[in-house]
Amino acid sequence: MKRKNLITLCWISLATSMVFFFGFTKEKTMENFMLTVIVCFMYSFVLGMGNKLINDFLNKRFPWSEATTKRAIISVVSILIANIILVYFCNYMNFVIFQKGTTTEEFFSGKYGFMNWFTINIALLISAFLHAKGFMEELKKTSRKEVVEQKLIAKSANAQFETLKNQLDPHFLFNSLNVLSSLIDENPKQAQKFTASMSKIYRYVLEQKDKELVTVEDELEFARTYCDLLKTRFEDSVDFAFDVKKEDYRRFVVPLSLQLLLENCIKHNFATSSKPLIIRIFSENDTLCIENNLQVREQIKESSGIGLSNIVQRYALLTKRNVFIEKSEDYFKVKLPVLSSKPNAVSILPETKNESYERAQKRVKEIKSFYGNLVSYCLIIPFLIIVNIITSPGDLWFIYPMLGWGIGLAAHGMGVFGIGKRWEDKKIREILEKQNKR
């Protein structure tokens, strides 16, 4: 236990002993004063340190941030059992050993039942305060850590996404200039036409590259224009076929993905009039497929792999669905996930700092409300028991508010620690995530 906590316990023990000695002790002697101080120190240190040790042990084995519901249940069971044992030990030492006011048989016969019950409630109040304090401290640490982690994740994801998108400009430009360079020698008139078309296509690249997702319809329109340019250069050596379902047009894909894949088809395969390269773009089971017959050309130098890896990484930042690649002796196929809606597709990006803070703040309010209710219960119910015993010992009416409030408190605790409303929210999120994966 920390020095600060020990000093606090000492001051509490001294203050309590003064109250009991001057307020409730008839014979004001030094012997009685020392006995009162010893008894008060015993209660303070046994109950205070006992509950503190239990709380510290549970914090290490079952942290609130990792297993909130499990920790809450274990805490309730452990503090009930531990405080009953500690209270009986303290009362036994006080009344039987120190004061010698009763025998062991009388103490355990029920004569001191009310005193034990009252002291147990006080001990539970102390324990509830310690557990609430420990929970709030850990919650603050977790909230701060979560905000920092989410901020770092968001920055990292944004930086990675920007890096991937910035690859598109030089990649597309260099490949287009290579095509233009070939056309200048082969067909100058076609080169002029290609230059005009290339400026139109490059405008689309600049407009779409900063977007996370575009519609399949927009991407197909751009791909057809790009295919016309490729057809200008290769003529009968390359053939294109489009067979995409109309219902997929309003769904979403990563921008410029078709253009990058079409480039790969041309780059890695040879195409001649006698053996034309046939490229198909079609729908298949919620994916947009780009397939070509395999006519692998010998690579003079190793490919940089920017095109396909760029698409895979950008999809990984936006959805849990994967890009699939199929290769056989006859064909090469890439399957791009077609996403049903734009908001859901990007919803897996990390929360912002404000969203994390608001969620943590809401959670803190819920916990504070529950522990405020618990503290009130531990204070008021013992008071009602005392009033009931003093005024009408034959009619135990305190049982009704104790049970009624206790049931309400239990329901409140279940709602706060994940069994009530929070359980419903968790299930709703799970269902939505499953739908997003389809």
Side-chain angles (χ1 to χ4, degrees), residues 342-353:
K342 200 169 185 178
N344 288 341
V346 299
S347 64
I348 66 164
L349 291 175
E351 290 181 309
T352 64
K353 180 178 178 180

Side-chain angles (χ1 to χ4, degrees), residues 182-201:
S182 301
L183 281 177
I184 290 173
D185 294 333
E186 297 172 6
N187 192 334
K189 289 185 178 180
Q190 289 292 349
Q192 291 179 358
K193 182 180 177 182
F194 183 90
T195 303
S197 298
M198 191 181 78
S199 64
K200 185 188 300 182
I201 290 178

Side-chain angles (χ1 to χ4, degrees), residues 101 103 318 361 390 414:
T103 62
L318 295 170
Q361 191 178 45
I390 293 174
M414 287 189 293

Side-chain angles (χ1 to χ4, degrees), residues 360-377:
Q361 191 178 45
K362 182 180 178 182
R363 180 68 173 154
V364 169
K365 288 180 179 179
E366 291 176 353
I367 299 299
K368 285 175 68 177
S369 174
F370 169 74
Y371 277 110
N373 195 1
L374 178 62
V375 170
S376 300
Y377 181 84

Side-chain angles (χ1 to χ4, degrees), residues 212-347:
E212 293 169 345
L213 295 167
V214 295
T215 62
V216 172
E217 184 177 13
D218 289 342
E219 189 70 6
L220 284 175
E221 184 179 349
F222 167 72
R224 287 190 176 95
T225 305
Y226 187 71
C227 288
D228 289 340
L229 290 183
L230 295 175
K231 194 75 173 174
T232 301
R233 178 187 173 189
F234 293 100
E235 297 180 346
D236 295 336
S237 299
V238 179
D239 194 16
F240 301 95
F242 290 83
D243 185 20
V244 179
K245 298 176 183 177
K246 293 290 184 182
E247 54 265 30
D248 288 338
Y249 275 29
R250 304 314 301 168
R251 301 173 78 181
F252 297 90
V253 291
V254 166
L256 305 176
S257 53
L258 290 183
Q259 181 260 329
L260 290 171
L261 293 174
L262 288 169
E263 282 184 7
N264 277 355
C265 293
I266 300 297
K267 182 178 180 181
H268 297 293
N269 296 275
F270 68 85
T272 63
S273 299
S274 58
K275 288 186 177 181
L277 181 65
I278 301 173
I279 302 174
R280 295 177 58 231
I281 301 174
F282 57 96
S283 300
E284 183 181 284
N285 299 328
D286 287 336
T287 62
L288 186 64
C289 300
I290 298 87
E291 179 184 297
N292 65 275
N293 56 323
L294 209 58
Q295 300 180 162
V296 182
R297 69 166 69 184
E298 294 183 5
Q299 299 292 329
I300 299 176
K301 61 179 180 178
E302 188 177 350
S303 172
S304 62
I306 289 178
L308 189 55
S309 64
N310 183 289
I311 295 169
V312 172
Q313 291 178 66
R314 286 159 67 203
Y315 264 107
L317 289 171
L318 295 170
T319 179
K320 295 180 180 178
R321 295 177 60 188
N322 297 319
V323 176
F324 289 100
I325 301 171
E326 293 182 9
K327 185 177 181 180
S328 69
E329 295 180 356
D330 300 323
Y331 70 90
F332 183 85
K333 182 194 293 185
V334 178
K335 294 182 178 180
L336 302 177
V338 179
L339 307 179
S340 58
S341 61
K342 200 169 185 178
N344 288 341
V346 299
S347 64

Side-chain angles (χ1 to χ4, degrees), residues 117-129:
W117 171 254
F118 179 79
T119 313
I120 287 171
N121 278 276
I122 299 299
L124 289 175
L125 177 61
I126 296 170
S127 182
F129 172 78

